[in-house]
Amino acid sequence: MDQRGMRNRWGLAFMITLLVLVVAKLGVLQGVDGAEYANAAEQDRLRTYPIAALRGAVLDRDGNPFAYTVDASRVVADPEVVDDPERTALALTTLLDVPVPELTDKLSKDSRYVVLAPQVSPETTDAIDALELPGILFEDDPVRLYPAGTVGGQVVGFVGRDGEGLAGIEQTFQDELAGTPGQRRVEVGSGGNRIPSGIDESTPATDGDSVTLTLDQDLQFVTEQRLGEACADGATTRASAVVLDVRTGQVAAMGSCPGYDPGNYSATDPDLLGNPIVSGVFEPGSVMKAVTLSAALEEGVAEPDTVLTVDGHIQAGDRVVTDAHDHDPVDWTVTGILAKSSNVGTIMLAREVGDGKLEQYLRAFGIGETTGIELPGESAGILQDSDEWSEVRAANVAIGQGVSVTTLQMASIYQAIANDGVRVPPRIVESVTGPDGRVTEASTPDGTRVISEATAEKMAYMLEAVVGPGGTAPLGQVEGFRVAGKTGTAQRPNPDCNCYEGGGYVTTFVGFAPADDPQYVVAVDLERPSSDAEGGQVAAPVFADILRYALTADGVVPSGTARPDFRLTGTP
């Protein structure tokens, strides 16, 4: 065989060998690795997207919403898949309300993921989906709405952009409200759009629980409106109020001025995003005399008609404590001491009780410990141990200085007196309802007896004298109802000098009605750095307006008995 024939034969053998190898490889790919390669290709086309759980609602006690969540989507893009960034931008600009240059810039980025617009409504995403634009995708991005605006805002709180509760009930009940996200796996084509006949598998999300509060939204509105009026007087920089149900301790309203809108919290001064009613502490002044006199009655030191000769001033260590105005000795009954808000008479009674006993009563009424209310950032207040009290501190504590409380603690003291001497820790959550409709009632804390029923009845009588003839708070009266309560005017610490001078005052009024059958407690405090007006002048009218609405809106029957005649002095 010649050389040329040999080359042809070898060439043919090579071609046959190569063909065998190719066929063998195809056989391996088709028969052995085909399923693996097909699965890999399928996996490459699969996209996994989270399915957001709808956050549970926050409702008032009648089911009116403070907060709820609606479906919405985040519109995103894969710029590598977008055919024509400018044309796509022109198609989306009106629907997304985003300028064409901004969209074009995002769609032209060297990236596989850009956000075009957050929280877009379902109607808009449906319109975008109908355009079949390559590379445009949607992700769940629900919208949290606060239809009541500022009403209840400090209680409800707010959520951040990541959906995490950052304040109020939104923070405390984050786990319950948030729910559990789901997941969706879909098969997409080269344009990034879902293949209609492709894989589409979903694990549904479990929506969050709804939280029902004890608040009455209408009463909450009236409370905040009245506080807003107080803050507009030119002298009041902060005003707070809380309304408690006497028998249950439930919070019917809780507000403070200035407040904020949870739906626009980012535009609010961060210092105002808390809830001062549970976190802000202040020296309450004479409203604390109710504790001192409760201790005196309970310990048998005095009775409402016990007469004491009260000077206009009293020595306390190296200080002299006076009444609001120094005066000659007066024969006042214990009722008169409270009605006239005598510092000297109160200190005289406190000394009979003793420092250790007085501290026990203060702590029994809840001073120096948190109430346990379902809100973040609660303060315990400030109460020094009595074995550390100087003579000056002991005198000050008895009249509400040298001790600090929250507005809620202040209300809780009077709730105990109004509730026949039993303190029920305040609560603001009524129930939690799951997405399946199952309702879990909030637990009710046990009441604690602080004073006897007889002492509570005597204290109610004496507190009613405060708003009666000769008392310090006739402006606290509510027509048709017998009202019991107490004024307070305490020096406010001046943060500029860490002293009292130039700090102004905190004026307070706390009370309940009807005095003969108590239903609601209202506590009000006003911070007034540039005013020395007393609680009976400025806090009592705010108290009366809020209490009047609470009683009438709830259909409470006016008092059926006349107000007693009070004996304030030793003279018959």
Side-chain angles (χ1 to χ4, degrees):
M1 180 180 297
D2 59 17
Q3 194 171 10
R4 184 176 178 180
M6 286 293 293
R7 283 200 303 271
N8 289 340
R9 178 173 291 183
W10 282 110
L12 180 61
F14 175 77
M15 292 297 293
I16 292 172
T17 302
L18 183 61
L19 182 61
V20 169
L21 290 174
V22 170
V23 171
K25 182 64 175 176
L26 285 172
V28 170
L29 290 174
Q30 295 261 344
V32 180
D33 294 335
E36 182 178 337
Y37 277 98
N39 182 63
E42 181 181 274
Q43 292 301 317
D44 190 56
R45 294 192 301 273
L46 284 176
R47 299 287 184 272
T48 300
Y49 304 103
I51 299 175
L54 284 183
R55 191 175 182 86
V58 180
L59 312 168
D60 85 337
R61 65 189 186 189
D62 295 320
N64 300 306
F66 282 114
Y68 64 94
T69 296
V70 296
D71 280 319
S73 299
R74 183 185 302 109
V75 180
V76 302
D78 181 349
E80 288 195 13
V81 180
V82 174
D83 289 339
D84 186 333
E86 187 171 356
R87 184 180 66 83
T88 303
L90 285 167
L92 293 175
T93 182
T94 301
L95 291 167
L96 297 181
D97 195 24
V98 179
V100 170
E102 183 179 336
L103 287 173
T104 302
D105 180 63
K106 289 182 176 182
L107 294 168
S108 302
K109 288 186 179 297
D110 183 16
S111 172
R112 296 301 306 269
Y113 179 90
V114 293
V115 177
L116 302 182
Q119 297 183 330
V120 176
S121 70
E123 294 78 13
T124 300
T125 55
D126 287 345
I128 294 172
D129 197 35
L131 298 176
E132 298 184 353
L133 299 170
I136 304 302
L137 306 167
F138 310 112
E139 299 174 349
D140 284 341
D141 190 19
V143 179
R144 191 66 165 169
L145 299 176
Y146 297 91
T150 59
V151 178
Q154 292 161 319
V155 172
V156 176
F158 54 88
V159 297
R161 283 292 298 124
D162 61 355
E164 189 83 10
L166 299 178
I169 292 295
E170 296 275 33
Q171 179 179 340
T172 305
F173 286 82
Q174 165 62 23
D175 292 343
E176 292 85 351
L177 289 165
T180 304
Q183 179 177 279
R184 183 185 182 190
R185 297 171 70 241
V186 298
E187 193 172 357
V188 299
S190 58
N193 295 316
R194 182 174 65 85
I195 299 173
S197 60
I199 294 173
D200 190 343
E201 301 173 338
S202 294
T203 301
T206 301
D207 291 341
D209 299 340
S210 291
V211 177
T212 299
L213 306 181
T214 60
L215 299 183
D216 179 300
Q217 199 169 104
D218 291 337
L219 177 59
Q220 183 72 27
F221 171 79
V222 169
T223 299
E224 292 186 26
Q225 184 182 53
R226 187 61 182 86
L227 293 173
E229 293 172 2
C231 281
D233 68 1
T236 302
T237 56
R238 182 188 59 78
S240 296
V242 62
V243 182
L244 298 182
D245 183 295
V246 166
R247 302 304 172 195
T248 65
Q250 291 184 341
V251 178
M254 174 186 284
S256 186
C257 171
Y260 67 87
D261 182 352
N264 193 30
Y265 71 90
S266 60
T268 303
D269 182 344
D271 291 339
L272 300 178
L273 292 178
N275 186 344
I277 299 157
V278 298
S279 62
V281 297
F282 56 92
E283 297 184 29
S286 295
V287 295
M288 291 295 284
K289 290 174 182 174
V291 176
T292 304
L293 269 63
S294 290
L297 296 178
E298 189 76 7
E299 292 299 310
V301 168
E303 290 293 322
D305 286 339
T306 299
V307 178
L308 281 73
T309 301
V310 181
D311 286 331
H313 57 274
I314 190 170
Q315 193 74 32
D318 60 353
R319 302 285 181 87
V320 175
V321 180
T322 67
D323 279 344
H325 305 286
D326 203 353
H327 54 79
D328 292 333
V330 179
D331 289 338
W332 272 326
T333 64
V334 173
T335 301
I337 287 171
L338 188 62
K340 297 294 186 179
S341 198
S342 171
N343 294 331
V344 175
T346 304
I347 292 170
M348 292 169 64
L349 290 166
R351 288 176 176 175
E352 291 295 315
V353 172
D355 294 351
K357 279 290 184 183
L358 180 57
E359 182 197 354
Q360 288 179 22
Y361 281 95
L362 287 164
R363 296 196 184 280
F365 273 105
I367 308 306
E369 66 178 29
T370 59
T371 67
I373 196 167
E374 309 95 323
L375 291 168
E378 185 182 13
S379 172
I382 301 172
L383 176 61
Q384 189 180 41
D385 291 340
S386 59
D387 57 10
E388 299 177 5
W389 293 356
S390 64
E391 284 190 55
V392 175
R393 175 58 63 88
N396 283 342
V397 167
I399 60 175
Q401 296 259 191
V403 58
S404 293
V405 300
T406 65
T407 311
L408 185 62
Q409 287 175 323
M410 194 167 65
S412 186
I413 291 171
Y414 283 72
Q415 178 275 327
I417 295 172
N419 192 37
D420 298 327
V422 177
R423 183 170 72 91
V424 181
R427 291 295 181 265
I428 203 164
V429 173
E430 184 174 282
S431 64
V432 176
T433 303
D436 59 356
R438 183 175 300 175
V439 178
T440 302
E441 299 291 338
S443 59
T444 301
D446 294 332
T448 303
R449 179 160 293 284
V450 179
I451 53 177
S452 67
E453 186 173 346
T455 296
E457 184 177 350
K458 294 171 185 176
M459 282 303 305
Y461 163 83
M462 292 164 58
L463 288 167
E464 196 173 355
V466 174
V467 298
T472 59
L475 296 180
Q477 297 181 38
V478 176
E479 185 178 358
F481 296 93
R482 290 170 53 186
V483 176
K486 184 69 188 76
T487 57
T489 306
Q491 286 183 287
R492 173 182 174 271
N494 187 345
D496 295 332
C497 64
N498 197 28
C499 63
Y500 286 110
E501 186 176 355
Y505 293 84
V506 175
T507 61
T508 54
F509 193 94
V510 192
F512 51 86
D516 49 340
D517 183 20
Q519 300 297 315
Y520 287 107
V521 169
V522 176
V524 173
D525 63 271
L526 311 178
E527 190 173 276
R528 296 167 62 82
S530 60
S531 171
D532 60 358
E534 296 182 350
Q537 297 171 290
V538 293
V542 179
F543 158 89
D545 289 344
I546 294 172
L547 180 59
R548 182 181 298 107
Y549 182 86
L551 293 169
T552 56
D554 197 33
V556 177
V557 177
S559 298
T561 57
R563 184 170 57 199
D565 291 326
F566 303 104
R567 184 183 171 207
L568 304 185
T569 68
T571 303

